[in-house]
Amino acid sequence: MSVEILEDLKQKARALSSQEIENFVNYLQKIKPDGEKDLGLASENKAELRQLHKQWMKANRIKYAGQYVALDGAKLIGVGKTRPEAIRQAKDKGVKNAFVMYIYPLDYVGEIGSW
């Protein structure tokens, strides 16, 4: 970006109302520089993504218990017995930053060690 454009934006921003400035800031936080992929991870989207993941888990936990799953939002894009296997499937589908997690079986009982 040229210095002139940046200075022009700053000058114009001074004339905005507080609500317009807030809207502009929100807009700026959502866009990415040229060449940088938008991962959809603005802070407001993180909560939405967590909610999508939780809903998917609730609906599909029994079916995928004991496996690793890779999700793109609420869409299943990889399944495997190992994390690298699920990640590879996601990458094969063009998703580089999939949400990957292990689905514990319903009868899983965690252990806590002690002395």
Side-chain angles (χ1 to χ4, degrees):
M1 171 184 275
S2 72
V3 174
E4 294 84 21
I5 294 173
L6 182 57
E7 290 304 317
D8 185 49
L9 287 170
K10 289 178 183 178
Q11 181 66 31
K12 289 179 179 178
R14 289 185 191 104
L16 298 175
S17 70
S18 59
Q19 182 61 48
E20 290 169 330
I21 290 172
E22 184 177 334
N23 291 342
F24 188 55
V25 167
N26 288 335
Y27 167 76
L28 290 174
Q29 289 175 338
K30 291 179 185 176
I31 62 173
K32 299 289 179 185
D34 290 343
E36 187 176 325
K37 185 177 178 186
D38 183 358
L39 300 176
L41 295 179
S43 60
E44 63 193 35
N45 290 340
K46 288 180 184 179
E48 291 173 21
L49 282 173
R50 278 193 300 271
Q51 198 61 29
L52 288 173
H53 298 155
K54 285 169 66 174
Q55 290 171 355
W56 187 92
M57 288 283 298
K58 199 178 239 187
N60 297 285
R61 182 174 181 196
I62 295 171
K63 183 175 181 180
Y64 295 98
Q67 300 179 77
Y68 286 87
V69 296
L71 302 175
D72 184 16
K75 181 180 176 188
L76 178 68
I77 54 174
V79 179
K81 291 195 181 275
T82 65
R83 184 177 179 84
E85 187 179 345
I87 292 170
R88 182 185 44 75
Q89 288 180 21
K91 286 184 178 180
D92 288 348
K93 292 180 180 164
V95 179
K96 293 181 181 178
N97 293 313
F99 175 77
V100 181
M101 72 174 300
Y102 181 74
I103 309 296
Y104 287 96
L106 293 174
D107 61 351
Y108 176 78
V109 177
E111 296 181 24
I112 299 176
S114 64
W115 291 92

